Amino acid sequence: MRARLATDFDRFQRELPRDFPAHVREVYGIDLTAHYLGETIPHPIGKGSGQLSLNEGQLEVDADAGLAFAVLKTVIGQDATGRQSMAAWAIHETKMKVERRGEGWTVSWKGRGWDRSFDEYLALVRAGSDFTRSGRLLVVPSVKYHLPRLDEPFNDAEYAFTTRALAGAWGEPLLLLEKDFSPTLAGDPLAGEQAQILRWLHEVPTRIRAQAAVRLAVKVMNARFDDAFQVEMLRAAAGADALVVFNRLFDVERGVAYGGPELMERNLRVLDQLTRGESPGIPELSGTGAISSGRGILEYARRGCESVQVHTFFQVPLAQYAATHGSRTQRALHQLVFDPADGLIAGMLELETQGVLERRGGELRFLDLAADAHRPR
């Protein structure tokens, strides 16, 4: 199998087959099936919200590459008059800067959320719905809604208008939606009180669901507090259908969010403290943060994550990919899955050798890793 993996890695440098999960299953006896937001997807690798998912052309490239899912750029909620309580997050992006941070990579930029018209975003949601219904690519809109101070009420008019408009653009069946607690929020004075943050995480899912039929993921930020509070945040957000853990760290001095090894180290450390068995009611988990190898994906899976969201690794210099042809999405998928040393296949075969992962019905199953992590110790 390892010899065949080296052969496939070399062969697919020129062209990655779109249905590579079927090839992996047939040749290696590995089932890469994963879950995001209750949906079954062919493998665990998706694209996190950001500048790489803000137009239909990008979705088309991702669908052709065989990406499992893509989360759209985060739109800022508004009421029927167009007023945005979080308007400070709807600012134009500066150019993204890809740079080294420690042994890994990070992407820095000053912008925040969607800075075009709401009607343009609804058009993108309609396109995303078409991709989803066709089975080519699972697409999920992302929103930032009003977040009040502890002694203030929620702006329900904003929740109502935004959610209903998105649901109307999405069509039937129920809307799939990600609520983004962005990393820049962590650097804002608004997120300086723990009780305030816990109130948001506890109440926001209920307020969104009151407006439309929604299956909701909450993307949880890395707050400016200790690991124990991160775990407390997850428990507070247990009313969501899925949790994306955890958004990037925030550099207060530079005023930018960042990733890299420091982010993954913290995320995995926090997830080590949490399993579904020990914390009843914690919903489906999707990992994010500094994922640049298949082994990184498996680290999140072994801590209960049933999928992952990648962003930076789709933007590193082309020289960092072994593939010589194809889109960045194809090149990244090729590296993450087929790398003979650090890819997803190699890592799962190694876990089998170690006795950590066993074949069922002749197959190794990616989802068995998350299921094992959720069992009480």
Side-chain angles (χ1 to χ4, degrees):
M1 281 191 182
R2 293 190 181 279
R4 179 60 188 270
L5 181 56
T7 299
D8 278 348
F9 185 62
D10 290 341
R11 181 161 62 105
F12 294 152
Q13 287 179 8
R14 292 173 291 280
E15 183 178 7
L16 178 71
R18 187 192 181 283
D19 193 15
F20 65 84
H23 174 84
V24 172
R25 193 168 194 166
E26 179 183 351
V27 173
Y28 303 97
I30 294 178
D31 181 1
L32 294 179
T33 299
H35 293 148
Y36 180 59
L37 249 184
E39 298 292 315
T40 299
I41 49 180
H43 61 85
I45 306 167
K47 179 176 286 185
S49 173
Q51 289 296 90
L52 305 181
S53 49
L54 49 67
N55 62 60
E56 189 172 349
Q58 290 170 319
L59 299 180
E60 187 71 43
V61 169
D62 289 342
D64 288 344
L67 190 70
F69 67 96
V71 183
L72 298 180
K73 178 72 173 174
T74 300
V75 72
I76 308 305
Q78 64 179 58
D79 62 21
T81 69
R83 181 181 177 277
Q84 297 173 310
S85 60
M86 306 292 280
W89 272 263
I91 61 175
H92 183 68
E93 303 278 356
T94 54
K95 183 176 175 58
M96 291 185 291
K97 183 179 181 182
V98 182
E99 55 190 348
R100 281 283 190 182
R101 189 171 184 107
E103 296 299 315
W105 294 89
T106 187
V107 176
S108 302
W109 70 97
K110 295 286 186 178
R112 297 181 175 187
W114 180 266
D115 62 349
R116 305 172 191 177
S117 74
F118 190 58
D119 285 342
E120 288 177 280
Y121 195 82
L122 294 179
L124 183 59
V125 171
R126 283 189 284 270
S129 178
D130 290 341
F131 275 101
T132 300
R133 282 179 175 76
S134 70
R136 294 184 62 207
L137 177 69
L138 176 65
V139 178
V140 179
S142 174
V143 190
K144 184 185 296 297
Y145 295 91
H146 172 243
L147 296 173
R149 298 190 181 279
L150 197 57
D151 58 350
E152 295 175 347
F154 281 86
N155 184 343
D156 287 325
E158 184 175 289
Y159 280 76
F161 178 80
T162 302
T163 308
R164 292 172 188 175
L166 291 170
W170 184 262
E172 296 294 336
L174 80 172
L175 172 67
L176 302 177
L177 190 65
E178 189 172 288
K179 166 65 182 86
D180 183 9
F181 284 90
S182 74
T184 49
L185 176 64
D188 192 274
L190 192 62
E193 294 185 28
Q194 293 187 7
Q196 198 158 265
I197 295 172
L198 295 176
R199 179 198 178 197
W200 297 338
L201 291 166
H202 178 69
E203 294 191 32
V204 162
T206 301
R207 293 185 177 276
I208 295 172
R209 287 206 186 93
Q211 307 305 330
V214 176
R215 193 182 300 155
L216 179 69
V218 170
K219 190 171 189 177
V220 185
M221 65 182 174
N222 267 296
R224 303 192 309 272
F225 302 106
D226 61 16
D227 293 357
F229 184 68
Q230 288 297 118
V231 175
E232 194 172 354
M233 288 169 66
L234 294 185
R235 291 176 177 146
D241 297 293
L243 300 177
V244 184
V245 288
F246 295 97
N247 223 321
R248 301 193 306 159
L249 301 169
F250 190 77
D251 188 325
V252 177
E253 292 184 4
R254 294 179 59 197
V256 297
Y258 67 94
E262 183 182 348
L263 171 60
M264 177 177 272
E265 181 182 338
R266 188 190 198 207
N267 287 358
L268 297 180
R269 189 174 67 237
V270 171
L271 289 172
D272 271 333
Q273 301 180 33
L274 184 88
T275 69
R276 191 171 296 172
E278 294 165 351
S279 299
I282 294 297
E284 172 193 308
L285 299 177
S286 183
T288 191
I291 296 168
S292 59
S293 70
R295 290 185 183 276
I297 296 171
L298 293 174
E299 290 293 338
Y300 279 100
R302 295 185 68 183
R303 290 161 177 83
C305 296
E306 298 177 42
S307 65
V308 294
Q309 296 189 13
V310 180
H311 192 266
T312 297
F313 194 61
F314 292 120
Q315 302 176 76
V316 297
L318 289 178
Q320 296 298 309
Y321 304 121
T324 55
H325 294 74
S327 65
R328 283 182 177 272
T329 306
Q330 287 175 308
R331 296 183 193 211
L333 288 172
H334 167 258
Q335 195 93 4
L336 292 170
V337 176
F338 289 96
D339 186 296
D342 294 322
L344 194 53
I345 298 170
M348 290 182 69
L349 292 175
E350 186 173 302
L351 291 176
E352 180 186 22
T353 300
Q354 295 170 353
V356 173
L357 190 59
E358 296 181 354
R359 292 183 182 265
R360 291 194 295 126
E363 293 182 336
L364 298 176
R365 301 181 184 183
F366 174 80
L367 285 174
D368 282 351
L369 292 169
D372 183 64
H374 293 151
R375 293 191 182 99
R377 295 292 181 257

